[in-house]
Every structure is written in C-alpha cells, then in structure tokens.
C-alpha cells in the first residue's frame, strides 16, 4: 500500500494537468513497438517516457484504442514490475484501454445511492454504521459505486475525495442550507425567468470551489484507492429521455457498444451538476453535446445501471454483494386519492417518475438475498428534497437512526459479505487469467 501511495504521489502532477496529445496513429504504433521490445535493452527513463506518451495519447484520443491493443501483454508485464513508478503508469495505461485489473475479493462489490436532495443525510448515516461495523472506509469496501443526483455528490466526497463521513455529513448539511435558503418571492421570480427556483449559478460556484472537483473524471482513476465511480443524469435534449453515465473508467473496446451513453472526459463538478439538475429546482446543464437534467427523472434508484456497468467491466466475475441505499420515503395516505388539483397531479407525476422501489422489487427476484441488500427507511411524513427547517431535518436524522438500529442484523450480514476474503481458488483463477491475458493480449 505504501508503494502504491508513493507511486500516486509521483504522478499526481501527471493527472492534474491537462495536456493535448498531438501524436499520430503511426506514433502510437511506434510506442507500442517500443513497449513490446525486450526490457533488458531499455532504461527506466525510456520506459517511463514511452508509457507516459502512450497514456497521454490514449486519454486524449479514444480512436487509438485498437492500435494500442497489441501493447496489452507488455503493459500487464510492466504493471507487475517492482518499480512503483513504472507499475503506476502501466496501470494508468491499462485503465485507459478499459482493461480490468483483478478484483481484491471473490466477486464484484457494488454500492448504489439514490437521489433525494436534503434526504442525502439518510445514506450518510447508514454508511457511518457500515464503516463502524466493518472497521473500513467506504472506498475500501466497494469495487464499483454509482449515484444519482444527491448520491453523486455523496460519492464524490466519500469515495473520490475520501472525506470522513462525519465531514461529508457536515459539508452536505451546510451546502443544502446555503443552496436551499432562497426567499420564496425571489425563487418564484427565478422560476418564471429561468425555469429554476434556486440559484443555479450559486450552486455551480460552490461545486467549482470544492477541492479536487476541478479534475477530470478519468484522471481520478490513477489513484488506486478510488473505486470505479459513475454518476447518472438524464438526456433531455432528445425526443425520448435516456440515461447518461458519467464514468471514471473506460469499457474495453469490443464489437458490442455500451448500452448507455456516457463520458469520462468531463470535470467532476460538471458531472455532479448535470446529475443534480432537477427540473424546476436548477437549470438544465448543457454538456457533452447533450442537455442534461437530474438522473432521478429516469433512474432515481441507479442500482440496475450499476449492475449492468460493473458486469461489463469485470466480465465472467460473479456478484459478491450489492448494497443499495435509499434516501427515505413516506408511504401514501390513500390509494384512492382522486384529487383534481393541478398541484396534486403534478406531485403525483413527480413521485411516480422518481420512484425507487420498482427497481428494488425487480432486483429482489433477480438476486439472492445473501447478495442483495436494500436499505430505505419509511418516514413518518414526507420530507421534500429542498427542506431546510431544522426541526424537519432533526426528524429525518432521528428516524434514520431508529431505522439503522432496527436493521442491525441485516447490516451485519451485508458487512460480512463485503469483507469476505478472497478464496485461494479465486486467487489462482485470477492469476491464471492474467497470465493468459499476457500471452494473448486480450
């Protein structure tokens, strides 16, 4: 671990500054040939130069993927070198090619967090209990994490920036208080003029000012302590709404295209802003040739997308554990509510669009209960996503803490599954698979 941290420190300047690769496809082929040559005739400096040039070109020119694929065996060999600098750059090149590195456990461990505005406090409190039970941090427990809206911001703080959860809770409460503190008259005026009740520019400036939020998503992948991360938004600039996946990874190039459109070449704050662009609350976000709105419009519970993406990354690897965290919901008072008021009808449409339990019901049938754990407390009263009254937030905290206590046994089962050690058989299978990759370049 110390070696890995040191290597990341050496190349921090490499990922934080953005450069443009001007190499041609022939240059890529030349770099690949250099890496395929015997290592005995090359100096460490020449290896580092070839690796860094290849990584830059792969990062900035995805069309060079196929030309760089023959270098896979050499990259895998360099990745296993004892030299920390060379190993770190080889790892970076493999990530940019979409080649998955071996999992640290028997299977894939997934965390999914719903959207919900200020109710994002709920999953933070539940994760605090998971950390207490396991003795490990969130980013150490999962291989793949996925969030919608609120969930995106929480994962950026806890898994990319790796803030302690106490700090995440405080920062989140502070941000909600600042963003959702708009005067009603001012908000209505903004809603009329810009279709957004709250100050979008103010929210953007807060995100821009957060430490580390100015880095590109793909650049976060060089840090070996950060898991695979995705944030979900909704493409609103086409006749049919579709999900969009912001990733800090690339899929291995195959004949089968990814099922969801996405991008890894945006800044962290931009991805969060797009994922949280709730209609009526914040302005929509133009980004990556699309106009984005809140991911909760289609996938307020992103667990199904997380499963799909993770299984595309680690092909032929089983699911070890899926933890899906909701932000709490209040059960309806009556199923025969025939109110004709436009406001009630609008709220019913919003509630239906952002419902999270339909996905949960489907996954209950698809995944065994020993691998799938959903935690979503039932609240005694509705808490809107922009609630900022102290008494309501305290009620939310109190009821979530009570829910956590009631789910202690289920949480223990989930934690036990998350910390399950890799078996000797699985270690051998992954070693053999890596050896095969070296030989074939697949």
């Amino acid at each position: 671990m110390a070696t890995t941290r040191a290597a990341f420190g050496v190349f921090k300047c490499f990922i934080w500054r953005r450069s443009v690769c001007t190499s041609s496809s022939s240059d890529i082929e030349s770099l690949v040939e250099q890496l395929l040559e015997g290592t005995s005739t090359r100096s460490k400096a020449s290896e580092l130069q070839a690796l860094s040039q290849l990584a830059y070109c792969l990062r900035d020119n995805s069309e060079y993927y196929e030309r760089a694929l023959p270098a896979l065996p050499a990259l895998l060999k360099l990745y296993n070198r004892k030299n920390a600098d060379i190993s770190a750059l080889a790892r970076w090149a493999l990530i940019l090619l979409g080649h998955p590195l071996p999992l640290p456990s028997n299977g894939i461990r997934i965390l999914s967090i719903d959207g919900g505005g200020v109710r994002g406090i709920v999953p933070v409190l539940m994760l605090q209990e998971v950390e207490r039970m396991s003795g490990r941090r969130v980013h150490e427990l999962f291989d793949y994490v996925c969030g919608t809206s609120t969930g995106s911001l929480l994962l950026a703080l806890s898994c990319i920036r790796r803030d302690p959860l106490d700090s995440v809770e405080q920062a989140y409460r502070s941000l909600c208080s600042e963003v959702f503190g708009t005067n009603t008259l001012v908000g209505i005026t903004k809603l009329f003029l810009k279709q957004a009740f709250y100050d979008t520019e103010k929210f953007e400036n807060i995100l821009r000012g957060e430490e580390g939020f100015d880095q590109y998503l793909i650049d976060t992948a060089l840090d070996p302590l950060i898991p695979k991360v995705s944030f979900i938004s909704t493409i609103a600039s086409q006749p049919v709404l579709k999900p969009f996946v912001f990733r800090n990874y690339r899929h291995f190039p195959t004949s089968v295209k990814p099922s969801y459109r996405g991008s890894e070449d945006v800044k962290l704050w931009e991805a969060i802003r797009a994922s949280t662009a709730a209609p009526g609350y914040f302005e929509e976000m133009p980004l990556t040739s699309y106009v984005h709105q809140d991911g909760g419009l289609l996938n307020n519970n992103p667990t199904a997308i997380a499963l799909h993406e993770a299984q595309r990354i680690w092909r032929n690897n089983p699911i070890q554990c899926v933890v899906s965290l909701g932000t709490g919901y209040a059960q309806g008072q009556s199923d025969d509510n025939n109110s004709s008021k436009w406001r009630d009808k609008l709220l019913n449409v919003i509630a239906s669009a952002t419902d999270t339990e339909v996905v949960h019901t489907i996954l209950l049938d698809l995944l065994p209960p020993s691998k799938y754990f959903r935690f979503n407390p039932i609240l005694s009263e509705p808490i809107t996503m922009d609630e900022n009254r102290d008494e309501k937030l305290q009620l939310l905290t109190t009821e979530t803490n009570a829910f956590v206590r009631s789910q202690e046994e289920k949480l223990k089962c989930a934690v036990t599954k998350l910390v399950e050690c890799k078996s000797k058989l699985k270690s051998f299978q992954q070693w053999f698979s890596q050896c095969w990759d070296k030989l074939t370049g697949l």
Side-chain angles (χ1 to χ4, degrees), residues 23-45:
S23 299
S24 64
S25 59
S26 60
D27 294 328
I28 288 290
E29 292 172 352
S30 176
L31 290 170
V32 170
E33 289 177 5
Q34 288 182 47
L35 293 174
L36 291 174
E37 291 174 359
T39 58
S40 59
T41 60
R42 293 204 310 266
S43 66
K44 173 186 172 183

Side-chain angles (χ1 to χ4, degrees), residues 248-267:
N248 76 337
Y249 56 89
R250 286 176 176 170
H251 286 299
F252 191 78
T254 64
S255 58
V256 181
K257 295 183 179 179
S259 300
Y260 301 108
R261 295 174 187 174
S263 174
E264 71 284 347
D265 198 34
V266 300
K267 292 185 177 182

Side-chain angles (χ1 to χ4, degrees), residues 75-90:
L75 290 173
L76 287 165
K77 187 174 182 179
L78 291 169
Y79 168 66
N80 289 310
R81 288 271 291 275
K82 293 182 180 180
N83 184 289
D85 296 351
I86 291 176
S87 178
L89 269 182

